Amino acid sequence: MKPDSKMDSLYLDENSIRLAGRTLLCLSATVRPGDILTVMGLSGSGKSAMLADLGGFHDPVFTGSGRIVIDGRDITGVAAEKRQAGMLLQDPLLFPHLSVGGNLLFGLAASIRKRDQRRRMAEQALADVELGGFFDRDPATLSGGRKARVALQRVMLSAPRYLLLDEPFSKLDTTLREQTRALIFSRAKSAGLPIILVTHDGTDVEAAEGQVVTIGEETDR
């Protein structure tokens, strides 16, 4: 696959995931800034393993191959911390030993050193998702929807180059799912991020309004 003139797109070139010598999926795609590629398939079909591979967090149980290009740069084989991939999972995975604000500060680049500037950025990020005044709150006191918003803002403060979504709405009730999904899609699109969403829910597909790839129903467990 040859990249086009959109140098800030995400390109997947025959990215495959194999288990015990068996190919679970193979994907080639171009995801432009603000666009969403949705990958559908049953649980255990290799979707999450693919996202982990794209983020650089490769599970040694699986074997991955292919090329990953972002901003015109081939990042295949680049360490996870240097890929700048933003990931949102089924669980928000907020650090329980940190406050809500502490979780956001964790996402900020170390190059932003001034403490007052870091605090202002974190507080503004909370205000942007209607969580103003929550900086010192314990994450354990938050509802599922609020935890999802904190997790989103932590990712966005890390200045990702592309966003990987592994069913981040699946544990929310219908109303919260719709609200959180709309928020995440809106933030990511306005930031011009290429987005890959893994899901098995048709309402996610409809809301994403983008390319859809359906993979086989064979299981990897």
Side-chain angles (χ1 to χ4, degrees):
M1 180 179 62
K2 295 182 179 179
D4 61 16
S5 59
K6 299 288 288 185
M7 294 299 289
D8 44 2
S9 294
L10 173 66
Y11 301 93
L12 309 181
D13 187 5
E14 296 188 0
N15 287 86
S16 68
I17 295 295
R18 295 187 300 278
L19 178 67
R22 179 168 61 94
T23 298
L24 300 178
L25 62 88
C26 184
L27 180 63
S28 291
T30 299
V31 190
R32 293 178 172 81
D35 286 352
I36 302 175
L37 169 66
T38 302
V39 181
M40 291 194 73
L42 295 180
S43 179
S45 59
K47 306 184 309 297
S48 294
M50 177 196 68
L51 279 197
D53 189 58
L54 295 179
F57 303 97
H58 189 71
D59 186 331
V61 172
F62 299 93
T63 301
S65 63
R67 281 199 319 142
I68 308 167
V69 179
I70 182 71
D71 297 335
R73 179 189 173 206
D74 190 333
I75 60 171
T76 311
V78 171
E81 64 272 15
K82 295 182 179 179
R83 293 192 183 195
Q84 293 180 262
M87 297 190 72
L88 289 174
L89 310 177
Q90 293 182 24
D91 293 305
L93 299 180
L94 300 181
F95 299 116
H97 64 290
L98 297 178
S99 67
V100 167
N103 270 273
L104 295 192
L105 293 175
F106 182 86
L108 279 168
S111 58
I112 304 173
R113 297 181 180 179
K114 293 184 178 180
R115 183 176 299 179
D116 58 344
Q117 181 184 6
R118 293 174 65 85
R119 172 93 185 207
R120 284 196 304 271
M121 292 178 68
E123 289 183 334
Q124 183 59 57
L126 289 172
D128 287 345
V129 291
E130 301 181 353
L131 291 177
F134 278 64
F135 188 95
D136 295 315
R137 285 278 293 271
D138 183 339
T141 67
L142 302 183
S143 65
R146 286 173 170 170
K147 287 179 180 179
R149 280 183 270 167
V150 173
L152 168 64
Q153 294 302 77
R154 181 175 61 184
V155 166
M156 297 306 290
L157 283 175
S158 70
R161 297 160 74 190
Y162 56 104
L163 191 60
L164 306 172
L165 307 177
D166 190 357
E167 302 195 55
F169 324 116
S170 63
K171 294 189 176 181
L172 301 176
D173 62 38
T174 301
T175 300
L176 278 178
R177 185 186 189 104
E178 293 175 355
Q179 294 173 347
T180 304
R181 182 174 57 209
L183 174 65
I184 290 176
F185 286 176
S186 174
R187 295 281 168 175
K189 288 183 176 182
S190 64
L193 298 178
I195 307 156
I196 298 181
L197 166 68
V198 155
T199 186
H200 63 270
D201 191 294
T203 62
D204 291 343
V205 178
E206 293 176 5
E209 299 181 332
Q211 307 174 65
V212 180
V213 174
T214 302
I215 59 178
E217 298 186 356
E218 292 180 327
T219 62
D220 55 13
R221 291 179 178 84

